[in-house]
Amino acid sequence: MSARTRPEELPPPARERRGSAPPLDRRRLLGAGLAGGALLLTGVTGCATGGAGGPAARQLGSSGPSATLTGKVTIWSWDVAAKAMQRLGRTFEQAHPGTTVEVVDIGYDNAYDKITVGLGAGSGLPDVLTVEGGRIPSYIGNFPTGLVDLTSRAQGLKSQFAEATWHTVTDAKGRVLALPWDSGPCALFYRRDHFQQAGIDPATLTTWDDYLTAGTTLRNATGKKLLIMDSKKDTLFAQLLQQQGQGWFTDGKVAVATPAAERALTLMKQLVDRGLVDFEDGWDGLVSGTHDGKAATTPTAAWWDGTLGSDLADLSGKFGVVPLPAFSPGGARTSNSGGSVLCVTAQSRNPETAWAFLDFLLADKANQVSMMQHEGLFPAYLPALDDPYFQQPSPYYGGQPAMKLFADLARGIPTVEHTADDSKAGDIVTTAVNQVLHNGADPGTVLRSAARQIATATGRQPVS
């Protein structure tokens, strides 16, 4: 997703690899894939992002901003997302004399505590917030008047963003309450040398059944595992579920005991049962295990490129990328993990200038490409993906134009339903997944139990 962190100079645009994204924020991106985490949110539920009822949010005027923008806009963000806005904020100020863009790096670790407290209190927030895509539905649903309704200005931009990312920032009534920034289209990163040693053509991995079969062949030929999973908090299940076009809820009902969910968790159990998984602890374990060659593939998002190029630069030329295997022939071959949005708070003293900055930053091709080049933020804005930058062959991937693959996949990310209860569901599902992966529990039985727990925790009905 967007903000990543590293206490070092940002890479220049001409670097051979794509998107240098530092470690702390990458950990954040992984967390966003589960749309989980304790947000300290309470109470409100809805049948989609937000809810159908409740008071109206503050709106921007439909006539558009005045010709001359003035005033100060304060933004909360962190890591490279903050750096990107600080850099382009100066350009915005030059284009609009009399404006000031102040970006405050509040750090990731306490960001959501501060945001949640500010929304609950109705005070203390800046004009603009950075929020991960997996978390914004909970905020929209639990604080329906906490953000400015951007619909009058933003609705014309809908076709310029992938449907999946646009769906994240809208509520059940179609109100637009944020703008997408970056996204996390997923593919399968693989080790060229390991696949060559095992005699496997990665292009033949068109289904997950192919992937399982190849994993056994690869293990027998090289001694390598197929992939690394987090030993404590899985991030793959949500990705596999979204690949099938489903989230934790469908039509407002609990949907974690569905055929799609059981298919995803059964696949994960098969990987473990066949000895194809290397379990490591957290982000650092994933990075070090990948560097040490413990596993031959990583099914994850475009932002993993930044990790490879920075933390695993010595392995240049050893990686390639192909689309995710599908669950059935002809099925979807991508998903999403991570991504972020920007929203204007109802507490803003200068919402018109705040909106103008969002429009400048996120709905401008040149600016979006610039943030990909400098900060490694993969654009959610579709016109940016047509830029020649994404067509360039990358020496790190043996000359493969890897970002072109992700640009193509980004347009077809399956859309899923989001609700104010995503975080509660995500926490319960994480426990359920661990029971299957580490205790050998039956996927269907565990998922049905999880569905009942989510229904009790949220007051929602399970899918029949």
Side-chain angles (χ1 to χ4, degrees), residues 362-453:
L362 306 182
D364 181 276
K365 178 177 178 178
N367 288 338
Q368 283 277 23
V369 173
S370 171
M371 289 187 286
M372 178 66 192
Q373 291 175 311
H374 286 270
E375 287 87 22
L377 306 178
F378 194 92
Y381 185 63
L382 295 178
L385 302 180
D386 295 325
D387 190 87
Y389 178 83
F390 291 90
Q391 313 299 316
Q392 298 173 10
S394 171
Y396 190 89
Y397 298 99
Q400 178 186 2
M403 290 303 109
K404 180 182 184 303
L405 173 65
F406 285 106
D408 292 341
L409 292 173
R411 294 176 169 86
I413 296 173
T415 299
V416 300
E417 183 175 317
H418 297 286
T419 79
D421 292 322
D422 280 0
S423 296
K424 292 178 183 177
D427 290 341
I428 293 170
V429 169
T430 295
T431 300
V433 170
N434 285 341
Q435 290 175 350
V436 172
L437 300 186
H438 301 301
N439 300 328
D442 174 67
T445 301
V446 164
L447 289 171
R448 286 189 290 274
S449 175
R452 290 192 294 269
Q453 294 175 56

Side-chain angles (χ1 to χ4, degrees), residues 305-361:
D305 164 76
T307 306
L308 296 178
S310 56
D311 296 349
L312 288 78
D314 56 319
L315 297 180
S316 179
K318 293 185 179 295
F319 287 89
V321 190
V322 293
L324 290 181
F327 276 91
S328 58
R333 299 198 61 185
T334 191
S335 184
N336 188 79
S337 177
S340 61
V341 307
L342 291 179
C343 48
V344 180
T345 72
Q347 299 169 34
S348 173
R349 296 183 178 181
N350 201 354
E352 290 290 354
T353 302
W355 160 254
F357 182 71
L358 264 62
D359 187 47
F360 161 84
L361 191 77

Side-chain angles (χ1 to χ4, degrees), residues 216-236:
T216 301
T217 302
L218 188 142
R219 185 197 59 201
N220 293 340
T222 68
K224 304 293 184 181
K225 303 288 188 180
L226 192 54
L227 76 165
I228 293 171
M229 288 189 191
D230 194 316
S231 60
K232 297 178 181 177
K233 187 171 184 178
D234 163 73
T235 58
L236 181 60

Side-chain angles (χ1 to χ4, degrees), residues 242-283:
Q242 178 159 3
Q243 184 182 358
Q244 300 175 79
Q246 189 189 305
W248 307 139
F249 302 95
T250 298
D251 295 329
K253 296 182 178 180
V254 182
V256 300
T258 61
E262 189 165 349
R263 211 158 26 237
L265 193 50
T266 298
L267 168 63
M268 295 170 67
K269 187 175 188 299
Q270 289 175 320
L271 288 164
V272 173
D273 291 347
R274 297 186 189 189
L276 304 179
V277 175
D278 174 56
F279 284 104
E280 301 288 343
D281 290 341
W283 176 259

